[in-house]
Amino acid sequence: MEKLIELLQGVRDDVDFGTCTTLVDEGILDSFDIVEIVNVIDDEYDIEVPAIEIIPENFNSAEAIFNLIQRLLEE
């Protein structure tokens, strides 16, 4: 999880990814940020995030993103 937080900070260093649980719902992350996060995940974890998984629930918190990564790694 620490590694993921560091990667997310690389995308947006002005966001507290450690505690925020409404990143998409409150408009903290915009669509460009999410595309960047998906690219970072693809590069760092060598997985492809399917378009069907790019939904607010999967990107509202670092924990949700972490769970998405874990799920995709298991598939």
Side-chain angles (χ1 to χ4, degrees):
M1 183 70 131
E2 281 183 42
K3 176 181 172 183
L4 176 60
I5 299 282
E6 287 178 25
L7 294 171
L8 295 173
Q9 291 291 322
V11 174
R12 288 281 305 272
D13 64 356
D14 60 327
V15 175
D16 182 5
F17 287 101
T19 60
C20 188
T21 59
T22 54
L23 295 169
V24 176
D25 290 346
E26 290 190 11
I28 297 167
L29 295 180
D30 61 23
S31 57
F32 181 74
D33 295 326
I34 292 173
V35 168
E36 251 189 286
I37 290 169
V38 168
N39 286 333
V40 166
I41 291 170
D42 287 351
D43 292 344
E44 190 65 33
Y45 295 94
D46 196 29
I47 56 175
E48 187 173 324
V49 179
I52 196 166
E53 295 287 358
I54 303 175
I55 56 174
E57 294 81 20
N58 287 336
F59 291 89
N60 258 331
S61 68
E63 184 177 357
I65 297 168
F66 184 77
N67 291 337
L68 170 66
I69 292 168
Q70 293 305 309
R71 196 169 69 249
L72 292 173
L73 285 172
E74 292 172 3
E75 291 181 356

